């Protein structure tokens, strides 16, 4: 599954696609995390991965955590979930 966002192509792993369906995560929320959030951190175990966090007011201000490969074409989303541990983040 691939999608274009203003010239930026996105692709999802099977795991990420299942999470979108099971966790009722909207694709535009994932795009918000990737392209509109300033809260991105490097993965401590894999230098190629990054983690993006964004608060989703439409979903009770829960924190959406998106794990992705930023240097692939298209950008590859590995995982997406509402992160209970990061709930206290000030985003």
């Amino acid at each position: 599954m691939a999608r274009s966002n203003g010239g930026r192509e996105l692709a999802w792993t099977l795991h990420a696609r299942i999470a979108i369906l099971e966790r009722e995560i909207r694709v535009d929320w994932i795009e918000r995390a990737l392209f509109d959030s300033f809260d991105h951190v490097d993965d401590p175990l894999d230098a190629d991965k990054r983690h993006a966090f964004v608060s989703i007011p439409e979903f009770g201000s829960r924190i959406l955590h998106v794990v992705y490969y930023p240097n692939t074409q298209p950008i590859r989303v590995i995982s997406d979930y509402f992160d209970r541990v990061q709930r206290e983040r000030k985003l």
Side-chain angles (χ1 to χ4, degrees):
M1 180 163 105
R3 178 179 169 133
S4 178
N5 177 344
R8 296 174 284 197
E9 291 284 327
L10 298 177
W12 288 267
T13 63
L14 178 60
H15 173 76
R17 288 186 282 175
I18 290 170
I20 288 169
L21 297 172
E22 289 181 349
R23 300 171 185 156
E24 301 178 25
I25 297 172
R26 294 183 356 205
V27 171
D28 63 304
W29 294 345
I30 294 171
E31 292 171 342
R32 189 184 312 170
L34 294 175
F35 305 123
D36 297 336
S37 169
F38 294 102
D39 195 7
H40 295 254
V41 297
D42 293 330
D43 187 278
L45 302 175
D46 183 343
D48 293 329
K49 281 186 203 171
R50 301 230 349 137
H51 298 252
F53 302 90
V54 68
S55 177
I56 305 295
E58 306 95 295
F59 208 74
S61 294
R62 293 178 67 189
I63 303 299
L64 179 62
H65 183 164
V66 179
V67 183
Y68 66 103
Y69 286 112
N71 297 319
T72 59
Q73 188 57 27
I75 294 169
R76 190 147 189 85
V77 177
I78 303 162
S79 184
D80 42 82
Y81 57 95
F82 288 102
D83 194 330
R84 289 181 176 89
V85 174
Q86 299 295 333
R87 187 172 292 207
E88 301 303 317
R89 280 177 93 85
K90 303 289 186 215
L91 303 178

